[in-house]
Amino acid sequence: MDLEKIRKGIDEIDDQIADLYAKRMSLVKEVSEAKKQSGKAVNDPDREKKVLLRVADRVEEDMQVYLKRVFETMFETSKAYQTLNAEYNTEFGEKVKQALSKGELKFPPKARVACQGVAGAYSGIAADRMFELADVTYFKNFEGVFQAVEKGFCKYGVLPIENSSAGSVNQVYDLMKAHKFYIVKSLRVSINHNLIANKETDIENVREIFSHEQAITQCRKFLEKFPLAKITPCPNTAVAAKMLAESGRKDAAALSSRECADLYGLKILQTNVQDSDSNYTRFILIAKEMEFYQNANKISIMTTLPQNAPGSLNKLLAKFANLGINLTKLESRPIVGSGFEFMFYFDFECDIKEKVVQNLLNELSDSTEQFTFLGAYSEK
C-alpha cells in the first residue's frame, strides 16, 4: 500500500472537514445570538444527545464510540465559542457585577486579622507580610478563624491552604464547604523549620519532639535521626514552642520557626531541618464580602460533577482548555455522607474583569449542582 497516497487522501478529507467546521461555527454564532435574545442557556444536553443518536447511525458500530468523542469535542468548542458573547442573568453574576462596580480596590495597609495558633505562628508571620500593620487575634483552631470572619469580629482571616512538600491542608479544605467567605489575597511564605529547645537541653538527650503534623511531615527525614524520640503533634508550630517553653523540660524539643525561638526564649539546636530547601506554604486571606483588589490574577472555585456520568471531569476541563485558561491546581475531596461524591477545587489564572471569564463562571454556576466562587485575588 502507498502510504503517501493514503495520507494525501486523508489530507483532502481534513480540508473538507475544516471547511465544514467553519460553516458549522458560523451557524453556531447565529445560535448564540438567538439564545441571547430568547434568554436560553448555552448548555443544552438534550439537543446534544439527539445529535449523537442521529449521527451514530451514519457509521459502523465499531466506530460509533469514536464518533461520539469527536462530536463531544466539537460541542465543547461550540459552547466555548458561544460563551464569548453570551449574556447571563444569574444571582452569582449580579454579585460579581456589584463587586466590579466598585472598581479595583487598593489593598488596605492596616486591618484586624484572625489567625490560628498563638504568637509566632506562621499564619501570623504571613499576616504581617500581607499588611503594613496587622492587628492579629489568635484562635485555637481553623474553625475559629472562619467564624471570626463570618461574624465580623475580624475583617480578614489568614489560613494555610497547601505546602510544597506536605501537600494540601485538608482540614482547611473541608471547612471551606461549611463557611461563606471569599479569598481576597494569597501569599507564598518560605518555611524554614528549626529544632528548638530550652536553654540547658542537649540534642542527644531529646526524647520527645513537638510540632504541627504538617511540619512533622515536612521534616520526616530529619526526625529519623531520633528513633527513640516520641513525635507529638500539636495544633500549631508556635503552640509547640510555647508549650515547650512553659514546661521547662530538658529532654524535649520542638520543630518551629526562628521567630518562635526568640519569642519564647528558646535556643536553636539545629537550623533548617525541613527535608526540602524549597519548602513553601501558601496562605490565603479570606473576607466576608466579595472584594476585588488591584492586580487580581487568580480565581478559585469549587464544584461538584454529575455522578455516574462518564467523562464529566474531562468535559469540565475542556471548558477551560477551549478558552485558553491555565489551570494551576485541581484538588478533589470526598463529600461526607454522599456515597462517593466528590467536591472539586480549581485554581486558575485569569482576569475576573474579562467577560469570557465571567460567562464561564456563570455557566458553571448555572449548570452544576453545587458551585462556590471562592474569590478572585492576587498571589505573590
Short mmCIF file of all heavy atoms in Angstrom, two decimals, residues 177 302-307 312 316 335 341-344 346 364 367-372:
data_model
loop_
_atom_site.label_atom_id
_atom_site.label_comp_id
_atom_site.label_asym_id
_atom_site.label_seq_id
_atom_site.Cartn_x
_atom_site.Cartn_y
_atom_site.Cartn_z
N LYS A 177 -16.32 24.12 52.79
CA LYS A 177 -17.69 23.78 52.38
C LYS A 177 -18.71 24.29 53.39
O LYS A 177 -19.88 24.46 53.06
CB LYS A 177 -17.82 22.26 52.22
CG LYS A 177 -16.93 21.66 51.14
CD LYS A 177 -17.29 20.24 50.83
CE LYS A 177 -17.04 19.29 51.99
NZ LYS A 177 -15.62 19.06 52.26
N MET A 302 -15.03 25.98 43.67
CA MET A 302 -15.24 24.57 43.95
C MET A 302 -16.60 24.17 43.41
O MET A 302 -17.55 24.96 43.39
CB MET A 302 -15.11 24.25 45.45
CG MET A 302 -16.01 24.98 46.39
SD MET A 302 -15.58 24.54 48.10
CE MET A 302 -16.78 25.54 49.00
N THR A 303 -16.69 22.94 42.92
CA THR A 303 -17.92 22.48 42.29
C THR A 303 -18.01 20.97 42.35
O THR A 303 -17.01 20.28 42.55
CB THR A 303 -17.99 22.94 40.82
OG1 THR A 303 -19.25 22.59 40.26
CG2 THR A 303 -16.89 22.29 39.98
N THR A 304 -19.21 20.46 42.20
CA THR A 304 -19.41 19.01 42.09
C THR A 304 -19.63 18.67 40.63
O THR A 304 -19.89 19.53 39.79
CB THR A 304 -20.64 18.56 42.90
OG1 THR A 304 -21.79 19.33 42.48
CG2 THR A 304 -20.42 18.76 44.39
N LEU A 305 -19.52 17.37 40.33
CA LEU A 305 -19.77 16.87 38.99
C LEU A 305 -20.90 15.85 39.05
O LEU A 305 -21.12 15.23 40.10
CB LEU A 305 -18.51 16.21 38.42
CG LEU A 305 -17.30 17.12 38.23
CD1 LEU A 305 -16.10 16.31 37.77
CD2 LEU A 305 -17.62 18.20 37.20
N PRO A 306 -21.62 15.65 37.94
CA PRO A 306 -22.71 14.67 37.94
C PRO A 306 -22.19 13.27 38.25
O PRO A 306 -21.17 12.84 37.71
CB PRO A 306 -23.25 14.74 36.50
CG PRO A 306 -22.79 16.05 35.98
CD PRO A 306 -21.48 16.34 36.66
N GLN A 307 -22.86 12.57 39.15
CA GLN A 307 -22.48 11.20 39.47
C GLN A 307 -22.88 10.27 38.33
O GLN A 307 -23.86 10.49 37.63
CB GLN A 307 -23.18 10.74 40.76
CG GLN A 307 -22.58 11.36 42.02
CD GLN A 307 -23.22 10.78 43.27
OE1 GLN A 307 -24.38 11.02 43.56
NE2 GLN A 307 -22.46 10.00 44.00
N SER A 312 -17.38 13.35 32.73
CA SER A 312 -17.85 14.66 33.21
C SER A 312 -16.68 15.56 33.60
O SER A 312 -16.70 16.76 33.34
CB SER A 312 -18.82 14.49 34.38
OG SER A 312 -18.20 13.78 35.45
N LEU A 316 -15.51 19.15 31.82
CA LEU A 316 -15.31 20.39 32.57
C LEU A 316 -13.94 20.98 32.28
O LEU A 316 -13.79 22.19 32.07
CB LEU A 316 -15.46 20.12 34.07
CG LEU A 316 -15.28 21.32 35.00
CD1 LEU A 316 -16.22 22.45 34.63
CD2 LEU A 316 -15.48 20.91 36.45
N ILE A 335 -17.16 14.17 49.72
CA ILE A 335 -18.22 14.82 50.48
C ILE A 335 -18.77 13.80 51.47
O ILE A 335 -19.31 12.76 51.08
CB ILE A 335 -19.34 15.33 49.55
CG1 ILE A 335 -18.77 16.34 48.55
CG2 ILE A 335 -20.47 15.96 50.35
CD1 ILE A 335 -19.77 16.81 47.52
N GLU A 341 -19.35 10.81 46.45
CA GLU A 341 -19.41 12.01 45.64
C GLU A 341 -18.27 12.92 46.09
O GLU A 341 -17.93 12.99 47.26
CB GLU A 341 -20.74 12.73 45.82
CG GLU A 341 -20.91 13.92 44.88
CD GLU A 341 -22.26 14.60 45.02
OE1 GLU A 341 -23.03 14.19 45.90
OE2 GLU A 341 -22.52 15.54 44.24
N PHE A 342 -17.69 13.64 45.11
CA PHE A 342 -16.51 14.47 45.40
C PHE A 342 -16.78 15.93 45.09
O PHE A 342 -17.54 16.27 44.18
CB PHE A 342 -15.31 14.00 44.58
CG PHE A 342 -14.73 12.69 45.05
CD1 PHE A 342 -15.30 11.49 44.68
CD2 PHE A 342 -13.62 12.67 45.89
CE1 PHE A 342 -14.77 10.28 45.11
CE2 PHE A 342 -13.09 11.47 46.33
CZ PHE A 342 -13.67 10.27 45.94
N MET A 343 -16.13 16.78 45.88
CA MET A 343 -16.10 18.21 45.60
C MET A 343 -14.75 18.51 44.96
O MET A 343 -13.71 18.05 45.44
CB MET A 343 -16.26 19.02 46.88
CG MET A 343 -16.26 20.52 46.68
SD MET A 343 -17.75 21.12 45.88
CE MET A 343 -18.91 21.05 47.26
N PHE A 344 -14.76 19.25 43.86
CA PHE A 344 -13.53 19.57 43.14
C PHE A 344 -13.17 21.05 43.35
O PHE A 344 -14.04 21.92 43.25
CB PHE A 344 -13.69 19.28 41.65
CG PHE A 344 -13.77 17.81 41.34
CD1 PHE A 344 -14.98 17.14 41.41
CD2 PHE A 344 -12.64 17.09 40.99
CE1 PHE A 344 -15.07 15.78 41.12
CE2 PHE A 344 -12.71 15.74 40.71
CZ PHE A 344 -13.92 15.08 40.79
N PHE A 346 -10.72 24.16 42.08
CA PHE A 346 -9.93 24.62 40.94
C PHE A 346 -9.29 25.97 41.24
O PHE A 346 -9.95 26.86 41.76
CB PHE A 346 -10.82 24.80 39.70
CG PHE A 346 -11.39 23.53 39.14
CD1 PHE A 346 -12.58 23.00 39.62
CD2 PHE A 346 -10.75 22.86 38.10
CE1 PHE A 346 -13.12 21.84 39.10
CE2 PHE A 346 -11.27 21.70 37.58
CZ PHE A 346 -12.46 21.18 38.07
N LEU A 364 -20.97 27.73 34.77
CA LEU A 364 -20.74 26.71 35.78
C LEU A 364 -21.72 26.85 36.94
O LEU A 364 -22.22 25.85 37.46
CB LEU A 364 -19.30 26.79 36.29
CG LEU A 364 -18.19 26.46 35.28
CD1 LEU A 364 -16.82 26.68 35.90
CD2 LEU A 364 -18.32 25.02 34.81
N SER A 367 -25.03 25.43 35.70
CA SER A 367 -25.14 24.08 35.15
C SER A 367 -24.64 22.98 36.08
O SER A 367 -24.79 21.80 35.77
CB SER A 367 -24.36 24.00 33.82
OG SER A 367 -22.98 24.27 34.03
N THR A 368 -24.03 23.34 37.21
CA THR A 368 -23.56 22.32 38.15
C THR A 368 -24.44 22.33 39.41
O THR A 368 -24.99 23.36 39.79
CB THR A 368 -22.10 22.57 38.56
OG1 THR A 368 -21.95 23.90 39.08
CG2 THR A 368 -21.18 22.42 37.35
N GLU A 369 -24.54 21.16 40.03
CA GLU A 369 -25.42 21.02 41.20
C GLU A 369 -24.96 21.89 42.35
O GLU A 369 -25.76 22.53 43.03
CB GLU A 369 -25.47 19.56 41.62
CG GLU A 369 -26.47 19.28 42.73
CD GLU A 369 -26.59 17.81 43.05
OE1 GLU A 369 -26.31 16.98 42.17
OE2 GLU A 369 -26.96 17.49 44.20
N GLN A 370 -23.65 21.91 42.61
CA GLN A 370 -23.09 22.76 43.66
C GLN A 370 -21.92 23.54 43.08
O GLN A 370 -21.00 22.96 42.50
CB GLN A 370 -22.60 21.92 44.84
CG GLN A 370 -23.68 21.17 45.59
CD GLN A 370 -23.13 20.45 46.81
OE1 GLN A 370 -22.41 21.01 47.63
NE2 GLN A 370 -23.45 19.17 46.93
N PHE A 371 -21.97 24.85 43.23
CA PHE A 371 -20.90 25.71 42.72
C PHE A 371 -20.63 26.80 43.74
O PHE A 371 -21.55 27.46 44.21
CB PHE A 371 -21.30 26.34 41.38
CG PHE A 371 -20.32 27.38 40.89
CD1 PHE A 371 -19.20 27.02 40.17
CD2 PHE A 371 -20.54 28.73 41.15
CE1 PHE A 371 -18.30 27.98 39.72
CE2 PHE A 371 -19.64 29.70 40.71
CZ PHE A 371 -18.52 29.32 39.99
N THR A 372 -19.37 26.98 44.07
CA THR A 372 -18.99 28.05 45.01
C THR A 372 -17.81 28.82 44.42
O THR A 372 -16.78 28.24 44.08
CB THR A 372 -18.58 27.47 46.37
OG1 THR A 372 -19.66 26.73 46.91
CG2 THR A 372 -18.22 28.59 47.35
#
